[in-house]
Amino acid sequence: MNNRLKEQGQTNKKAWEHRAYEFWHKRDGSPQESASRMMENPLACLKKHKDYFREVEGLKIANLCGSNGRKAVPLALLGAEVTVFDISEENKKYALELAESAHTTIDYVVTDIYDIDLEKYRAQFDLLYLEGGILHYFGDLHLFMTILHTILKVDGRLILSDFHPLSKCIVSNGEVNYFDSEFRSGDVAYKGYFEEEEQADFPDVMLRLYTLSDIINAALSAGFQLRKFDEHRGWNNENLPWEFTIVADK
């Protein structure tokens, strides 16, 4: 891993360990409150991806950049053996409390995805699940996809959902260039949940944007076989592509 990628990882770790545990309480309530909702209908917590997870009992699932456990815990409740890989100790704290409150267990590995122990986790997982807008945190998408391919079992499946690259251009009213490939500083995702006078203390994240073809071609070059590609409307049913989901096999 080159120095630029190390810098990006260190920058993003610092940002995501700044009051993230407090943020999850603000947004989702306490782990106990969140767990009680999940236990009522864990499959519903997987929202637009729920049809991919109706039969996961006994499967080994890696939830990469799994954040506060909001997807890992429902998957564990459905009977999967779930490992989260994420860069933030604060996310881990909430996620483990969430799992305990839901009377289930997850394995949580705090690491930069680039630093995953590939000997330990080589071909270990039946399914990889990534969602919530994470690709912009990684400056080398080909290396990232190669790591995913390495830890997936033969005949395993990748489910990757992220922000549609066009959505950032639309929201920015043209200020974001679709083909921009430079590293940029930006606000950590939850900064706006805090009072304005507190926001000055928040560290920036380091981002790198990708086109849709960048993403698909990186998956193909790593050896994935594309099975399905879906584009999704926004939360308010906007007539624009706000997210996408790639389903691919090894």
Side-chain angles (χ1 to χ4, degrees), residues 167-206:
S167 66
K168 291 184 180 295
C169 300
I170 294 167
V171 169
S172 73
N173 294 316
E175 291 183 12
V176 173
N177 179 354
Y178 183 73
F179 294 99
D180 184 8
S181 61
E182 300 297 320
F183 284 90
R184 304 289 184 191
S185 292
D187 292 338
V188 70
Y190 54 90
K191 181 177 177 178
Y193 279 78
F194 290 81
E195 297 296 329
E196 189 172 349
E197 60 268 21
E198 298 176 278
Q199 293 182 20
D201 296 329
F202 277 70
D204 285 344
V205 291
M206 184 181 289

Side-chain angles (χ1 to χ4, degrees), residues 1 5-13 65 85-88 109-117 137-138 144 147:
M1 182 167 58
L5 297 184
K6 289 180 181 178
E7 179 189 359
Q8 186 184 30
Q10 291 166 356
T11 299
N12 293 338
K13 181 176 179 63
C65 302
F85 296 96
D86 192 275
I87 204 165
S88 171
V109 181
V110 176
T111 182
D112 190 318
I113 301 303
Y114 294 132
D115 292 331
I116 289 175
D117 185 341
Y137 293 119
F138 298 94
F144 180 79
I147 291 169

